[in-house]
Amino acid sequence: MSIQVKFAVYGALRDGNENQDQTADVTERLQQLIDESGGVVTINNNSFGDPCPGFGKHFGAILLNDGTPVAYACGEGQTVDFLHWIAPQA
């Protein structure tokens, strides 16, 4: 099974204000974590650093899983198994 991270971001909108966006591009780090862990990654400051101290963070990513684009989103503290996903039904 081949997983390629196309894009990943982690962070928050400080004070809920889109003009106070404090996010980090974590594309390369996510790829590294997936490769090292066998696909299971906990989404938190230990994994990605803290781009917005004092605020709850969110995560979003687009990966190619065996060539199929798959979108992921979750909140800080959740664990994601990037190897297991449900393929869209035709």
Side-chain angles (χ1 to χ4, degrees):
M1 183 170 290
S2 171
I3 296 177
Q4 179 186 12
V5 180
K6 299 302 285 180
F7 176 78
V9 65
Y10 177 67
L13 300 177
R14 199 176 88 191
D15 298 326
N17 183 340
E18 68 274 10
N19 295 319
Q20 304 255 348
D21 176 19
Q22 292 185 308
T23 59
D25 180 336
V26 296
T27 303
E28 289 181 25
R29 178 67 178 143
L30 179 61
Q31 185 71 64
Q32 178 186 23
L33 289 168
I34 288 171
D35 293 344
E36 291 174 354
S37 71
V40 178
V41 177
T42 298
I43 308 302
N44 60 26
N45 297 336
N46 292 331
S47 298
F48 300 112
D50 191 350
C52 192
F55 293 88
K57 267 83 55 195
H58 298 277
F59 168 84
I62 298 175
L63 286 68
L64 292 180
N65 195 322
D66 281 336
T68 301
V70 182
Y72 294 87
C74 70
E76 179 179 8
Q78 292 184 279
T79 299
V80 179
D81 184 346
F82 292 97
L83 294 181
H84 294 93
W85 58 282
I86 299 171
Q89 301 298 310

